[in-house]
Amino acid sequence: MGARVRKAVLPVAGLGTRVLPGAKTTPKNLLNVVDRPILSYVVEEARAAGIEHFVFIVGRGQGAIEDYFDANPEIEGILEAKGKLDILADVRRDLPQPGQMSFIRQMAPLGLGHAVWCARDVIGDEPFAVMLPDMLMMARTAALAQAVSAYEQVGGNIVVVEPAPAGEAHKYGIVALEGQEGRLNRMTGMVEKPAPGTEPSNLFISGRYVLQPEIFQILESQDRGAGGEIQLTDGMFNLMKTQDFHALEYEGTTYDCGDKLGLLRANVAFALARPELADAARQAIRELL
Ligand code: G1P
């Protein structure tokens, strides 16, 4: 069995075009779902999968992400003085141990493959996770933990997938499978944003991966792909010539928070899933309808 998956790369540099103007001054992955930023949920998911080090790939103007994961003596001091200890605990819940987070500037928006490549020195020579934080996953067993279990079972590289809504497959990375039996299947191919009608399956890459470090050499010299960007999907397809890839259809629900309606659905779903909020949220939604 290969080495343990200890580190996760979180590319967060995207502009958030579909959630502007909200994402103009607040990095899109800091937008709230109920009362916490999207990133809070994703970091929690990663911790549940045993991740110990978080590598954020950021862009210009995203310093708020570092600040969110840093102590804030002023706010914490006021909450402590006022005895608001429950809110204080909530504010501190997301804080890492010092040294558990790295922030890397992508410097140019050249694509997801380029963003992941920027993490090469911090990851080094070990398997690692990639998490696309736009995709918020609600699952009984954390989505990344399901991917890590699959990795512990079959090794190699794991790509989390799910069925695309009808007519939407061309918007995503799509996988081809050797056969389809159960949720974990060997892959034979993948393609980024296939032309409509040419999709090899309806299973799209939903934003959680376990990858081997050899991907970095491939991403370094890779040509541009769909949209003129350096695509992670193309890099993985290349790595598949020498290493195994399995697709895992995870158990849970994905909310695309990079999109207005996805963000709205995530807010509703996560409010309804919170025991202390569920009744009031249900009542509020009923009134609105
Ligand atoms: C990226 C990946 C794609 C994946 C998608 C999931 O695309 O390249 O393979 O299906 O995320 O959200 P993007 O959304 O950046 O166009």
Side-chain angles (χ1 to χ4, degrees):
M1 182 39 48
R4 204 163 84 68
V5 182
R6 300 188 306 122
K7 300 177 185 174
V9 177
L10 293 86
V12 293
L15 268 188
T17 325
R18 291 177 292 155
V19 284
L20 280 170
K24 185 175 162 189
T25 49
T26 301
K28 63 173 172 173
N29 297 134
L30 285 187
L31 295 175
N32 260 10
V33 167
V34 190
D35 55 355
R36 324 186 64 78
I38 294 162
L39 274 180
S40 164
Y41 296 90
V42 178
V43 163
E44 195 165 76
E45 177 195 329
R47 287 199 174 118
I51 296 298
E52 296 164 357
H53 193 102
F54 298 82
V55 187
F56 291 90
I57 312 299
V58 298
R60 280 181 293 283
Q62 292 190 320
I65 296 176
E66 277 179 67
D67 292 342
Y68 180 78
F69 289 107
D70 195 0
N72 185 319
E74 190 181 354
I75 292 180
E76 291 172 37
I78 290 170
L79 291 172
E80 201 151 23
K82 293 194 168 177
K84 303 203 166 174
L85 300 184
D86 48 340
I87 304 179
L88 179 63
D90 222 20
V91 165
R92 286 181 172 159
R93 193 171 102 190
D94 289 326
L95 295 183
Q97 294 296 313
Q100 280 189 325
M101 285 188 174
S102 302
F103 297 85
I104 299 175
R105 290 282 189 118
Q106 190 181 357
M107 297 177 76
L110 297 179
L112 179 59
H114 178 259
V116 170
W117 176 73
C118 289
R120 64 199 179 282
D121 278 350
V122 178
I123 297 297
D125 192 24
E126 55 184 273
F128 63 102
V130 174
M131 307 176 82
L132 309 187
D134 282 5
M135 304 304 252
L136 197 47
M137 295 179 172
M138 188 186 277
R140 204 161 290 161
T141 301
L144 187 65
Q146 296 180 39
V148 168
S149 298
Y151 166 72
E152 284 165 356
Q153 209 181 312
V154 295
N157 300 266
I158 306 290
V159 178
V160 172
V161 299
E162 64 190 279
E168 304 240 317
H170 65 281
K171 295 183 182 170
Y172 298 101
I174 302 291
V175 301
L177 304 180
E178 194 172 79
Q180 209 167 343
E181 215 188 289
R183 293 183 169 270
L184 185 62
N185 290 284
R186 188 184 293 271
M187 286 166 59
T188 54
M190 64 190 109
V191 52
E192 185 64 26
K193 304 197 173 54
T198 68
E199 303 90 350
S201 77
N202 76 329
L203 292 175
F204 81 92
I205 298 173
S206 44
R208 302 292 184 269
Y209 315 73
V210 174
L211 297 174
Q212 297 296 327
E214 286 76 18
I215 192 77
F216 292 123
Q217 287 125 48
I218 292 172
L219 292 173
E220 180 148 13
S221 58
Q222 191 183 290
D223 294 336
R224 308 275 176 119
E229 296 186 346
I230 299 172
Q231 295 289 355
L232 180 60
T233 305
D234 296 344
M236 294 192 297
F237 184 63
N238 248 318
L239 184 57
M240 204 162 63
K241 290 175 190 152
T242 53
Q243 292 191 7
D244 274 356
F245 273 78
H246 282 81
L248 171 71
E249 217 182 305
Y250 90 108
E251 288 183 72
T253 311
T254 303
Y255 300 93
D256 180 358
C257 293
D259 172 83
K260 300 181 215 322
L261 268 185
L263 188 57
L264 174 64
R265 290 169 67 91
N267 267 287
V268 173
F270 278 81
L272 291 174
R274 287 259 290 267
E276 80 283 10
L277 269 180
D279 287 344
R282 198 169 288 114
Q283 177 65 23
I285 293 162
R286 250 193 235 113
E287 281 167 28
L288 286 168
L289 290 174

